[in-house]
Amino acid sequence: MNENRIKDVVIVGGGTAGWMAASLFANTMGKSIRIKLVESEAIGTIGVGEATIPPIQVFNRMLGIDENEFMRATNATIKLGIEFQNWGDIGESYIHGFGYIGKSLGILRFDQYWLKSLKNGTALDIENYSFTNLAARAGKFARMDKIPGTPLDGLGYAFHFDASLYAKFLRSYAEKRDVERIEGKICKVNTDGENGHITSVELENGSQIAGDFFIDCSGFRGLLIDQAVGSEFEDWTHWLMSDRAIAVPCENEEGFEPRPYTQSIAHSAGWQWRIPLQHRTGNGHVFSSAHMSEDEATSILLGNLEGKPLKDPMTIKFKTGYRPEGWKKNCVAIGLSSGFIEPLESTSIHLIQIALFHLLKMFPTTAIEPSMRDEYNRRMQFEYSSIRDFIILHYHVNQRTDSEYWKTCREMEIPETLQRKIDAFRTRGHLYRIDGELFTEEAWTHVMLGQNLIPETYNPLADNFTDAEITEFLSNINTLLKNTVAKLPTHQQFINANCKAPVM
Ligand SMILES: Cc1cc2nc3c(=O)[nH]c(=O)nc-3n(C[C@H](O)[C@H](O)[C@H](O)COP(=O)(O)OP(=O)(O)OC[C@H]3O[C@@H](n4cnc5c(N)ncnc54)[C@H](O)[C@@H]3O)c2cc1C
């Protein structure tokens, strides 16, 4: 082994990002590096971040985590997608469900045949051809890769969980694998006078924690990446105007059965989330402070809870954007310190996961290799901006006339990358996915159609089948999916049988 190998890695912060980093590094590199994690109970964590997307299953599998054990430990429920209410226009609802819609036929995706059928007036709403959407609406769930006896995929799913219990779960995992946790508040970051690399962090009690490589998971503060190595922040608030969230958990009332999906309810200057867990429901109102006061946002949120509030509402301020140099010198920012896109599609925990995967692949062995650092930053720029475009889509394609806020969203200039996607879809339902970007064509289809962006026509290849053949094809898929959903257990039955958390 090379004598100069990077050996001492210091993680600053013990929120979701810090403990995800510690767990993954301990699991994959624990034999070649020593890991210390510094966190401060007095500062605490952000305390939100409870809805995820399906790739989290990959993260859990990499750690060898048993899914039922993880769900029990974190009071988790299943998430099949997100229901968007009032987004296209007030009174409307659609679900962005995970997984496939119908089945492709030849070279075309299912939605092209659906479009042809829509034009001749025989298609049902697109949700009727998505297994995940039908199961979500019916409150049903079972783990299945395929619908038995068919080539159709089973249910795509992710989780809702208690963020503090998830961090605790991962902490126990990481500590069992020799991660050393150090309690204390960092009051100073020391750097090398010549190259500006971080050499150590200093705690209030005077102790110093030295390292070769530092992972900044200190949250919005960006204690190392901003304050010590000076990485700039690129502001995206001209596209995503929300800058506040009010969060409050509420009771699950007697007999409450958690929906297997998140709800996102648009209001006049933002939107409200409902995240049902086994023991309580997480709620929040994300809004633009330029368009609504904090008092009004709080009152809207409290007026829309489904149970008694369990705490006083908490205000969180944020700025949308990211750091193009998320890796600078010997410091990589992961989690909120690296940037933030509002939680509309639950992408922050995923950005932590994907940043860790990229970092693992490009982790320096001895000195920092500029090619690896630059490639990491390029890749994260792509991850952030492609998620950004998808989130802007939800705001931009709206027909609401009730407030200045929605009018501004509709009329604003959007990134050219997004405009191209909208134009291709509007023309004839064409969608494309660049370079392994996160959101699938199905995800874009759900949101675009759900918000009333209906293509002018369909791909002419769909004319290779007659109207009658397509009507029969759609009808067969819908019947099969409905019959399969009817046989599934309810979400609550699934939880009771597999992963019910002990009552505290
Ligand atoms: C309103 C809102 C809703 C969200 N909802 C979702 C969601 O549904 N899904 C999703 O994927 N993501 C969501 N997120 C994002 C998610 O909360 C974060 O990505 C996730 O919690 C990771 O946070 P973090 O670990 O980076 O920061 P934090 O949780 O803030 O942790 C920071 C850590 O750094 C430590 N620290 C800071 N300063 C010091 C110091 N001086 N000395 C020692 N320690 C220090 C703190 O003690 C803490 O341990 C949401 C975010 C917001 C703001």
Side-chain angles (χ1 to χ4, degrees):
M1 193 198 284
N2 188 323
E3 283 298 295
N4 297 322
R5 215 184 151 101
I6 286 183
K7 287 198 195 76
D8 287 299
V9 174
V10 179
I11 299 170
V12 168
T16 305
W19 285 114
M20 281 177 79
S23 303
L24 191 66
F25 272 72
N27 178 274
T28 50
M29 293 183 66
K31 292 201 173 77
S32 53
I33 56 172
R34 288 182 291 262
I35 306 166
K36 290 182 178 147
L37 183 147
V38 192
E39 67 173 319
S40 157
E41 269 171 28
I43 293 176
T45 63
I46 187 127
V48 283
E50 310 203 309
T52 59
I53 52 175
I56 194 163
Q57 290 179 39
V58 177
F59 184 81
N60 285 345
R61 272 200 298 273
M62 269 186 86
L63 297 190
I65 288 173
D66 175 83
E67 195 167 286
N68 287 339
E69 185 194 337
F70 144 78
M71 288 188 71
R72 262 192 300 276
T74 60
N75 259 305
T77 59
I78 292 293
K79 173 179 170 186
L80 292 172
I82 305 174
E83 183 199 17
F84 291 90
Q85 291 180 17
N86 305 338
W87 277 84
D89 208 346
I90 294 175
E92 296 179 349
S93 151
Y94 69 93
I95 291 186
H96 161 199
F98 304 135
Y100 287 94
I101 303 174
K103 178 166 179 353
S104 55
L105 204 54
I107 200 173
L108 295 184
R109 278 196 331 272
F110 175 83
D111 45 275
Q112 288 293 337
Y113 301 102
W114 176 83
L115 265 179
K116 174 168 163 145
S117 185
L118 184 77
K119 299 292 174 195
N120 71 31
T122 54
L124 300 172
D125 186 287
I126 193 81
E127 285 204 354
N128 292 285
Y129 308 98
S130 157
F131 185 30
T132 314
N133 281 41
L134 289 173
R137 292 277 185 207
K140 303 277 193 93
F141 180 73
R143 290 185 184 114
M144 52 164 73
D145 290 336
K146 292 268 174 214
I147 297 182
T150 79
L152 297 184
D153 279 302
L155 294 172
Y157 66 94
F159 313 98
H160 304 122
F161 55 60
D162 181 321
S164 59
L165 294 178
Y166 186 53
K168 194 167 152 198
F169 182 79
L170 291 181
R171 173 178 163 183
S172 143
Y173 178 98
E175 286 185 321
K176 278 189 205 133
R177 288 160 183 80
D178 297 330
V179 171
E180 184 188 346
R181 175 188 179 276
I182 300 164
E183 168 62 36
K185 186 171 171 192
I186 296 167
C187 57
K188 189 163 174 241
V189 182
N190 298 313
T191 53
D192 181 304
E194 266 177 37
N195 62 16
H197 282 212
I198 301 173
T199 50
S200 65
V201 291
E202 215 168 298
L203 302 186
E204 276 182 337
N205 66 10
S207 61
Q208 293 204 7
I209 300 140
D212 306 312
F213 196 80
F214 290 78
I215 303 182
D216 184 350
C217 299
S218 65
F220 284 134
R221 284 169 194 82
L223 198 64
L224 311 186
I225 195 74
D226 183 62
Q227 298 172 31
V229 298
S231 164
E232 300 288 320
F233 186 87
E234 189 174 303
D235 191 333
W236 286 343
T237 36
H238 51 293
W239 285 313
L240 293 165
M241 295 184 288
S242 294
D243 59 352
R244 298 270 193 291
I246 312 282
V248 66
C250 75
E251 275 179 10
N252 287 344
E253 306 213 317
E254 191 67 32
F256 175 90
E257 293 206 358
R259 298 176 188 92
Y261 53 91
T262 308
Q263 285 181 301
S264 162
I265 306 161
H267 296 304
S268 64
W271 61 280
Q272 170 190 347
W273 77 76
R274 279 196 196 129
I275 301 179
L277 307 181
Q278 292 189 35
H279 60 317
R280 62 162 170 80
T281 294
N283 306 278
H285 187 178
V286 174
F287 66 102
S288 155
S289 64
H291 297 82
M292 185 178 277
S293 72
E294 221 167 283
D295 284 350
E296 192 183 350
T298 307
S299 130
I300 290 174
L301 178 64
L302 294 177
N304 279 288
L305 299 185
E306 294 185 308
K308 271 198 232 107
L310 289 165
K311 284 185 187 163
D312 288 336
M314 163 178 85
T315 302
I316 303 161
K317 294 184 183 171
F318 59 81
K319 196 197 275 183
T320 300
Y322 92 113
R323 294 181 204 280
E325 281 187 294
W327 179 345
K328 190 165 180 186
K329 303 192 188 284
N330 63 340
C331 173
V332 172
I334 295 200
L336 298 173
S337 58
S338 69
F340 184 61
I341 300 178
E342 59 164 272
L344 187 59
E345 286 278 356
S346 323
T347 42
S348 286
I349 294 173
H350 176 75
L351 279 164
I352 297 171
Q353 168 179 337
I354 205 75
L356 288 170
F357 288 174
H358 289 313
L359 180 58
L360 265 183
K361 284 190 233 153
M362 300 174 210
F363 195 77
T365 28
T366 51
I368 309 291
E369 298 127 323
S371 61
M372 293 294 100
R373 179 202 58 206
D374 295 349
E375 175 55 14
Y376 173 89
N377 287 335
R378 185 197 69 79
R379 194 61 218 183
M380 289 310 293
Q381 191 275 340
F382 173 75
E383 306 285 358
Y384 262 99
S385 56
S386 56
I387 290 174
R388 174 204 67 197
D389 282 4
F390 189 56
I391 304 300
I392 297 174
L393 171 76
H394 298 63
Y395 283 98
H396 184 60
V397 182
N398 82 79
Q399 300 85 48
R400 289 182 60 139
T401 51
D402 60 306
S403 70
E404 200 48 40
Y405 175 83
W406 289 103
K407 184 168 179 279
T408 307
C409 292
R410 189 167 52 245
E411 291 176 356
M412 73 184 164
E413 207 170 303
I414 56 174
E416 194 222 330
T417 40
L418 172 59
Q419 189 63 57
R420 262 189 272 138
K421 283 203 171 185
I422 290 179
D423 292 344
F425 189 74
R426 196 192 306 274
T427 312
R428 59 173 190 185
H430 185 71
L431 279 170
Y432 50 89
R433 196 174 177 190
I434 304 168
D435 201 10
E437 71 183 82
L438 175 61
F439 286 102
T440 60
E441 285 99 341
E442 282 76 11
W444 285 83
T445 305
H446 277 304
V447 177
M448 288 184 171
L449 293 177
Q451 299 198 192
N452 308 311
L453 183 66
I454 310 292
E456 285 152 19
T457 185
Y458 52 87
N459 187 311
L461 285 176
D463 287 331
N464 287 343
F465 294 87
T466 64
D467 282 349
E469 282 170 331
I470 292 178
T471 304
E472 189 188 354
F473 172 58
L474 263 65
S475 162
N476 287 344
I477 287 188
N478 175 244
T479 306
L480 173 71
L481 298 182
K482 275 196 309 196
N483 290 343
T484 311
V485 168
K487 290 188 211 129
L488 295 177
T490 67
H491 181 216
Q492 187 65 58
Q493 286 166 341
F494 167 83
I495 291 172
N496 293 346
N498 296 283
C499 50
K500 184 138 180 55
V503 179
M504 296 294 177

